[in-house]
Structures are given as C-alpha cells and as structure tokens.
C-alpha cells in the first residue's frame, strides 16, 4: 500500500467514525477530531510537496505574502502557551471559524486542480478533493463537539472569500493555487493545534503535558 493509499484509508476510517456518535463522550469526540485534523495537515503538506516538485522560479517571485491570506484578520493565539489561556468555547469557535472560512476556497481549488499546468495534476486533483471532503467531515464532527460541550455561545467569525477565479493565464493560476494551499496548510496546523489543546484539557492533563 502506498503512502497516499494509507493516508486515504486512515482518513476514511476517521470520517466513518463520526457517522455514529450517539453516546460517544467528549474525550472520544475530541480524539477523533484531532486525529482527523492531523491527517488534514499531513495531506495539505503532501499537496504542497507535489506542487513544489515542478514549480516555476518566477512563481516564488509572484507569490503573495502570507498576510494576504483571507483568514489573516482572525485574531488567534500565536503559540501553545497562548492557546492554553483561552477558554474552551472560544478555542473551539476559532477552529470552527477557520474551517468554515475554507469551504468556498477549497471548492475553488477542487474545481481548478484538474486543469493545472502541472505534471502531477491528477495526483493534486485527487488529494484536493480529499481535502474538501475531509474538512466537511471534520466540520460536522466539531458541530457534535460543540453540542457535547454544551456551550451557550456560538460566536463564529465571518471570514469571507471573494475570489471566484485563480487567474487567466496558466502561471497565475498555478501560483494562486499554491498560495491558497499554503494558506490552508498554515490554518490546518492552527486547527490541529487548537483541537489538541482541547483534547488535552478534556483529559484533565496538566498544561505542561499538553
């Protein structure tokens, strides 16, 4: 079994785990969510490596700055120590807000992947669709976590995405695809970190053990 096949199998198992959750405790829900978020970050990293394998030098020059990511305005903790100081419901809201913000961008990436000017476009197309499916599954899982936590606040930040095209020429489309993916990779790491902190707190572990 190839690395991609193992990753796909693992994520599929985790997605199925969210189908039947009646009676599942908060600790188990957070364990499943953090495992899936870890797989999402691994998949986005693998996609980035695929793109980098044949990325034009001019693309590095054209690449927008990270501050141009559409989620950059969201105020979030910069490291684990800061995350540990944030109440659980706020931390969960940050993770859910980031996931929601990627619904439209990932749909755009999924629609553009098959026509990229890249020799690995078939692999990129397949992995991008996996990302889109799996983030939807994680989003549904976090809804269950939200209700299980019994939070009275459902304060999700709005992070609109206004772009409906990656560009007119093949180089611009490839660069903007890579840029969006780099933004998602950064955010998937944040989501994964937040969920691991929530999992640690639910297990009543000491902060230094998180």
């Amino acid at each position: 079994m190839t690395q991609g096949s193992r990753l796909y199998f693992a994520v599929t198992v985790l997605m199925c785990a969210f189908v039947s959750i009646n009676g599942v405790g908060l600790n188990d829900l957070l364990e499943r969510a953090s495992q899936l978020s870890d797989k999402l970050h691994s998949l986005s990293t693998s996609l980035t490596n695929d793109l980098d394998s044949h990325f034009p030098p001019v693309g590095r020059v054209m690449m927008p700055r990270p501050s141009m990511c559409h989620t950059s305005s969201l105020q979030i903790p910069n490291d684990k120590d800061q995350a540990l100081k944030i109440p659980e419901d706020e931390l969960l809201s940050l993770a859910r807000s980031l996931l929601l913000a990627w619904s439209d961008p990932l749909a755009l990436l999924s629609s553009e992947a098959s026509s990229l000017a890249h020799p690995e476009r078939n692999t990129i197309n397949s992995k991008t669709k996996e990302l889109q499916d799996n983030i939807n599954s994680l989003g549904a899982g976090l809804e269950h976590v939200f209700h299980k936590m019994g939070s009275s606040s459902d304060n999700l930040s709005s992070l609109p995405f206004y772009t409906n095209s990656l560009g007119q020429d093949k180089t611009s489309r490839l660069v903007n695809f890579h840029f969006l993916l780099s933004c998602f990779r950064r955010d998937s790491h944040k989501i994964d970190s937040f969920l691991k902190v929530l999992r640690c707190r639910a297990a009543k572990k000491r902060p230094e053990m998180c």
Side-chain angles (χ1 to χ4, degrees), residues 39-136:
K39 295 297 182 182
L40 282 172
H41 182 59
S42 296
L43 186 56
S44 66
T45 300
S46 177
L47 258 171
T48 300
N49 292 336
D50 291 335
L51 283 167
D52 284 341
S53 67
H54 291 84
F55 196 66
V58 68
R60 307 293 177 188
V61 180
M62 296 173 61
M63 188 84 74
R65 298 184 303 276
S67 61
M68 299 297 291
C69 294
H70 73 289
T71 57
S72 61
S73 62
L74 185 63
Q75 298 298 311
I76 61 173
N78 294 320
D79 53 38
K80 185 182 72 174
D81 289 338
Q82 290 186 11
L84 286 167
K85 298 176 182 178
I86 296 179
E88 284 88 345
D89 56 348
E90 291 184 23
L91 207 55
L92 180 60
S93 290
L94 287 174
R96 293 171 65 215
S97 294
L98 283 174
L99 279 175
L100 184 63
W102 279 102
S103 178
D104 290 341
L106 280 180
L108 176 61
L109 291 180
S110 184
S111 68
E112 294 276 356
S114 63
S115 59
L116 282 179
H118 196 287
E120 298 294 330
R121 62 177 171 271
N122 289 336
T123 298
I124 292 170
N125 183 41
S126 176
K127 290 180 180 179
T128 303
K129 292 186 183 304
E130 284 182 50
L131 273 183
Q132 188 179 16
D133 291 342
N134 297 334
I135 201 170
N136 289 338

